[in-house]
């Protein structure tokens, strides 16, 4: 792409989004006006037929609906002068309004579906996770969140939103550093922002923008360069995962034939033999007084972010403490 070409493309993209929002707003207004007109016709037909021909309100409403929908059973017909005048009004105004309203409503929903397929829609999620960036690991992240009953939506430039939609992955196409894109992804109602592949600088920029829009948002990001770790924490990123360092340590342990790697894989793999559980303490108690699952054993207590492994059944716990418990499936070694 020529220098400046990407910037021009983004300007055109944002302009297209603006036109789309204007058209959607006009469509919604037309639908609202048509629905209001339908209400007027239904009320006028119901009350008018009741007064002009002495029918019950239910029969009058039934006649009005049958007439404007062009079904015309013929079981109720206008027989008085004013009832026939009302019939002309309902036919000339009601039928056209009804047909136009159905067309506009169908067009609106089709347009919203097309926008969703292209990733240009506005998300209607709450308490969801926004994932910035898409690569091979994103689909696994989405599946892991689904296993934890968490909705998610992927945000990135030039996404093939239709392909992701076919895989059951919600997606928004746009610049994740732009407020408009984050708002379309539902940033104000989200409870988490995940930055697995945005790059260290990009993650900082997105995090700062996201915190402006939702100060209570929990932000999780990966860090590729060790020197950027502190900078990312200063950017109000709650959890920074140093991927290169973690990967290096795991591979080094694997070279030494350490069972630590097997342990970690057992913890993180769904079919592994070991599970970890996090228990939040909400009242003063002791480790022995925790309501744990059968077979769970507390191994770490976090207080104000500081871990301790020196725990016994009589170790006191305060509200806000976090207890990590371990559980080995019965299929493991016995005795």
């Amino acid at each position: 792409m020529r220098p400046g070409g990407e910037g021009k493309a983004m300007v055109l993209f944002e302009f297209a989004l603006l036109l789309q929002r204007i058209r959607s707003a006009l469509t919604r207004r037309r639908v609202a006006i048509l629905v209001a007109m339908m209400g007027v016709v239904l009320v006028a037909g119901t009350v008018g037929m009741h007064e002009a021909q002495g029918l019950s309100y239910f029969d009058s409403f039934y006649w009005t609906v049958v007439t404007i929908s062009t079904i015309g059973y013929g079981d109720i017909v206008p027989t008085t002068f004013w009832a026939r005048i009302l019939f002309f009004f309902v036919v000339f105004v009601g039928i056209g309004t009804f047909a136009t309203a159905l067309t506009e409503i169908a067009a609106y929903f089709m347009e919203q579906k097309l926008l969703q397929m292209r990733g240009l829609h506005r998300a209607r999620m709450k308490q969801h996770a926004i994932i910035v960036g898409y690569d091979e690991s994103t689909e696994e992240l989405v599946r892991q969140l689904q296993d934890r009953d968490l909705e998610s939506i992927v945000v990135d430039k030039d996404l093939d939103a239709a392909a992701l939609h076919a895989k059951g992955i919600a997606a928004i196409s746009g610049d994740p550093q732009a407020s408009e894109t984050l708002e379309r992804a539902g940033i104000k109602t989200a409870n988490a922002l995940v930055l697995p592949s945005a790059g260290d600088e990009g993650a900082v920029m997105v995090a700062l923008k996201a915190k402006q829009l939702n100060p209570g948002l929990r932000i999780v990001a990966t860090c590729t360069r060790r020197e950027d770790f502190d900078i990312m924490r200063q950017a109000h990123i709650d959890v920074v995962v140093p991927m290169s360092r973690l990967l290096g340590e795991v591979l080094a342990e694997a070279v030494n034939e350490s069972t630590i790697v097997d342990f970690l894989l057992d913890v993180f793999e769904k079919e592994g033999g070991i599970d970890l559980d996090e228990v939040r303490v909400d009242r003063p108690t002791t480790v022995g007084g925790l309501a744990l699952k059968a077979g769970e054993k507390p191994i770490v207590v976090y207080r104000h972010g500081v871990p301790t492994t020196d725990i016994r059944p009589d170790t006191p716990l305060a509200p806000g403490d976090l207890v990590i418990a371990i559980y080995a499936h019965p299929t493991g070694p016995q005795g």
Side-chain angles (χ1 to χ4, degrees), residues 10 13-15 17-18 21 118-124 128 130-133 153-159 171-190 193 206 209-210 213:
M10 285 305 302
F13 179 76
E14 295 295 335
F15 182 68
L17 285 179
L18 176 61
R21 288 199 298 271
R118 294 165 57 193
L120 303 178
H121 65 296
R122 183 174 292 273
R124 295 288 186 265
H128 59 291
I130 299 174
I131 303 171
V132 175
I153 187 166
V154 178
V155 178
D156 204 357
K157 295 179 183 178
D158 304 322
L159 277 178
I172 290 287
S173 181
D175 183 2
Q177 296 184 21
S179 299
E180 189 274 339
T181 302
L182 293 175
E183 288 177 353
R184 284 195 292 120
I187 189 70
K188 294 181 179 179
T189 58
L193 177 71
V206 175
K209 179 66 68 174
L213 298 172

Side-chain angles (χ1 to χ4, degrees), residues 238-261:
D238 300 283
V239 179
V240 180
V241 181
M243 291 301 297
S244 57
R245 191 182 75 191
L246 285 178
L247 181 60
E249 291 181 0
V250 170
L251 292 177
E253 290 290 347
V255 169
N256 287 330
E257 299 183 357
S258 172
T259 56
I260 293 177
V261 176

Side-chain angles (χ1 to χ4, degrees), residues 50-229:
H50 171 75
E51 296 294 334
Q53 198 157 311
L55 298 178
S56 67
Y57 282 112
F58 178 80
D59 287 341
S60 299
F61 178 76
Y62 164 78
W63 173 83
T64 305
V65 172
V66 168
T67 301
I68 64 176
S69 62
T70 69
I71 296 176
Y73 288 122
D75 51 343
I76 299 177
V77 295
T79 57
T80 67
F81 173 78
W82 289 111
R84 289 169 179 166
I85 295 295
L86 178 65
F87 170 76
F88 289 126
F89 168 77
V90 171
V91 167
F92 289 120
V93 177
I95 292 179
T97 302
F98 179 75
T100 305
L102 285 183
T103 302
E104 289 288 345
I105 291 172
Y108 174 76
F109 283 108
M110 288 181 63
E111 181 182 44
Q112 294 303 309
K113 187 66 175 178
L114 289 174
L115 288 175
Q116 184 178 8
M117 296 293 291
R118 294 165 57 193
L120 303 178
H121 65 296
R122 183 174 292 273
R124 295 288 186 265
M125 296 179 177
K126 291 183 178 180
Q127 302 300 309
H128 59 291
I130 299 174
I131 303 171
V132 175
Y134 181 80
D135 58 19
E136 294 79 4
S137 64
T138 307
E139 293 184 23
E140 180 62 29
L141 174 57
V142 171
R143 282 194 292 269
Q144 291 293 335
L145 291 173
Q146 289 174 344
D147 289 342
R148 292 161 174 78
D149 297 323
L150 294 174
E151 285 189 298
S152 62
I153 187 166
V154 178
V155 178
D156 204 357
K157 295 179 183 178
D158 304 322
L159 277 178
D160 188 351
L164 293 181
H165 183 77
K167 296 179 180 180
I169 300 176
I172 290 287
S173 181
D175 183 2
Q177 296 184 21
S179 299
E180 189 274 339
T181 302
L182 293 175
E183 288 177 353
R184 284 195 292 120
I187 189 70
K188 294 181 179 179
T189 58
N191 63 4
L193 177 71
V194 187
L195 305 163
S197 58
D200 295 356
E201 295 86 355
V204 169
M205 297 301 295
V206 175
L208 292 173
K209 179 66 68 174
K211 280 292 187 179
Q212 291 178 355
L213 298 172
N214 185 350
L217 190 70
R218 179 175 176 81
I219 302 180
V220 180
T222 60
C223 176
T224 56
R225 295 192 299 266
R226 183 173 297 188
E227 59 269 22
D228 292 337
F229 184 86

